[in-house]
């Protein structure tokens, strides 16, 4: 039996350390996902009233979304995003999109007016991303009539509040490069290129970037 080198031992220790870190990060994500309503601790952030838009926010698990709301979510997303998806290598695949939207891990922040009419939604998840605990914003979609009135910014602030208070290390999202409204919006909200964002090279050009905002309180451990 050969003698194990100290290099081999170092590697095993490093692997064990990494496994412990991922297990700890997963426990934080599981705890965030176990919350019945991640918005419940922040009642002051349920209401938006600015620039002529009055909205009430609620946070709902995908399993609790009713059929009318699903239809509105699918239609708004298709109306806002299908042309953008179809004008790049992603393409629009309704089946895949619906599977992503209805996944049991999906959470929704929904804004409605006084009559209960839906105005905007965000699909988000507490998840591990490359072993790091994050709030991943999959979608932020507003009806055209309520855009540019501060509602999108408010909803992102609510996502950050829920994410950072649940000890997520960052809020992460994917944006198509040829969606200037969204690029300008997230830049204005001080989102910047995430370290996991792919870089174009000689062989491949990516139509999207990954942006993120760190949890400043946990910055040292990102
Ligand atoms: C992108 C989107 C979510 C922004 O939400 P919004 O409520 O319209 O944005 P806000 O009013 O909160 O804007 C906050 C700031 O972002 C910037 N911004 C937002 N939209 C912008 C635009 N179209 N052009 C330039 N800057 C913009 C501005 O600095 C703005 O502040 P200001 O209005 O005081 O100048 C919304 O326009 C939308 O739903 N678009 C269609 C779907 C989409 O593209 N979603 C993003 C997918 S990743």
């Amino acid at each position: 039996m050969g003698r194990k080198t100290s290099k081999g031992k170092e590697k095993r220790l490093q692997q064990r350390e990494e496994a412990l870190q991922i297990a700890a990060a997963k426990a934080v994500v599981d705890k965030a996902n176990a919350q019945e309503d991640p918005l419940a601790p922040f009642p002051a952030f349920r209401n938006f009233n600015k620039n002529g838009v009055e909205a009430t926010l609620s946070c709902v698990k995908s399993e609790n979304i009713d059929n009318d709301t699903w239809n509105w979510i699918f239609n708004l997303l298709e109306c806002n995003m299908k042309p953008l998806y179809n004008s790049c290598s992603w393409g629009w695949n309704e089946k895949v999109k619906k599977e992503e939207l209805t996944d049991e891990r999906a959470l929704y922040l929904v804004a409605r007016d006084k009559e209960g009419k839906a105005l905007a939604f965000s699909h988000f998840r507490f998840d591990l991303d490359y072993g790091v605990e994050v709030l991943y914003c999959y979608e932020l979609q507003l009806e055209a009539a309520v855009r540019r009135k501060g509602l999108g910014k408010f909803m992102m602030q609510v996502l950050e509040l829920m994410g950072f208070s649940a000890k997520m290390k960052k809020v992460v999202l994917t944006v198509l490069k040829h969606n200037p409204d969204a690029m300008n919006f997230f830049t204005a909200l001080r989102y910047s290129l995430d370290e996991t964002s792919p870089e174009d090279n000689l062989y491949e050009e990516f139509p999207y970037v990954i942006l993120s905002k760190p949890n400043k309180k946990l910055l040292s451990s990102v």
Side-chain angles (χ1 to χ4, degrees), residues 51 76 80-81 84 120 137-144 146-156 173-176 179-189:
N51 298 323
L76 180 62
N80 286 352
M81 302 308 287
L84 285 165
C137 173
Y138 278 67
E139 308 287 351
L140 177 63
Q141 303 291 332
L142 275 68
E143 292 281 358
V146 295
R147 287 184 206 156
R148 227 41 217 276
K149 292 169 190 292
L151 180 60
K153 181 176 174 179
F154 182 72
M155 290 176 75
M156 285 310 299
L173 49 98
T174 304
V175 193
L176 286 168
N179 185 356
D181 292 352
M183 289 295 288
N184 285 326
F185 169 72
F186 287 115
T187 306
L189 268 58

Side-chain angles (χ1 to χ4, degrees), residues 193-207:
L193 209 60
D194 189 69
E195 61 185 351
T196 63
S197 194
E199 279 180 34
D200 292 346
N201 58 52
L202 220 52
Y203 309 101
E204 203 171 0
E205 239 183 70
F206 296 89

Side-chain angles (χ1 to χ4, degrees), residues 45-78:
F45 287 85
R46 281 193 184 276
N47 298 308
F48 175 86
N49 189 354
K50 211 175 159 187
N51 298 323
V53 178
E54 259 187 79
T56 302
L57 267 54
S58 58
C59 191
V60 199
K61 292 181 178 182
S62 66
E63 67 195 27
N64 295 326
I65 292 188
D66 60 76
N67 278 342
D68 285 351
T69 306
W70 276 131
N71 287 334
W72 167 76
I73 286 173
F74 296 146
N75 288 337
L76 180 62
L77 186 63
E78 186 170 344

Side-chain angles (χ1 to χ4, degrees), residues 3-181:
R3 188 178 160 191
K4 298 272 187 294
T5 63
S6 67
K7 220 175 173 186
K9 190 177 172 189
E10 261 174 42
K11 200 174 168 198
R12 282 198 309 283
L13 282 173
Q14 195 191 339
Q15 281 170 343
R16 186 148 40 126
E17 180 64 26
E18 280 169 10
L20 284 172
Q21 272 176 14
I22 290 183
K26 187 177 175 301
V28 175
V29 169
D30 288 347
K31 191 173 171 198
N33 276 319
Q35 299 174 95
E36 201 42 56
D37 177 3
L39 188 56
F42 312 107
F45 287 85
R46 281 193 184 276
N47 298 308
F48 175 86
N49 189 354
K50 211 175 159 187
N51 298 323
V53 178
E54 259 187 79
T56 302
L57 267 54
S58 58
C59 191
V60 199
K61 292 181 178 182
S62 66
E63 67 195 27
N64 295 326
I65 292 188
D66 60 76
N67 278 342
D68 285 351
T69 306
W70 276 131
N71 287 334
W72 167 76
I73 286 173
F74 296 146
N75 288 337
L76 180 62
L77 186 63
E78 186 170 344
C79 172
N80 286 352
M81 302 308 287
K82 188 176 174 177
L84 285 165
Y85 275 49
N86 276 340
S87 62
C88 71
S89 56
W90 277 8
W92 180 258
N93 184 325
E94 189 176 313
K95 186 171 172 279
V96 169
K97 206 42 165 173
K98 282 190 172 171
E99 276 168 11
E100 181 185 285
L101 289 164
T102 54
D103 190 288
E104 62 180 11
R105 293 163 298 174
L107 291 161
Y108 284 81
L109 186 64
V110 182
R112 294 179 187 276
D113 70 8
K114 274 192 278 187
E115 281 74 45
K117 182 176 171 285
L119 304 173
F121 77 90
S122 170
H123 161 200
F124 70 98
R125 300 185 194 182
F126 296 110
D127 210 349
L128 279 184
D129 190 46
Y130 296 94
V132 174
E133 51 276 48
V134 305
L135 184 151
Y136 211 111
C137 173
Y138 278 67
E139 308 287 351
L140 177 63
Q141 303 291 332
L142 275 68
E143 292 281 358
V146 295
R147 287 184 206 156
R148 227 41 217 276
K149 292 169 190 292
L151 180 60
K153 181 176 174 179
F154 182 72
M155 290 176 75
M156 285 310 299
Q157 286 169 337
V158 172
L159 291 185
E160 288 161 20
L161 184 65
M162 293 190 294
F164 295 160
S165 63
K167 297 196 165 56
M168 298 299 114
K169 294 223 166 99
K170 50 189 178 179
V171 172
V172 190
L173 49 98
T174 304
V175 193
L176 286 168
K177 290 175 186 168
H178 58 292
N179 185 356
D181 292 352

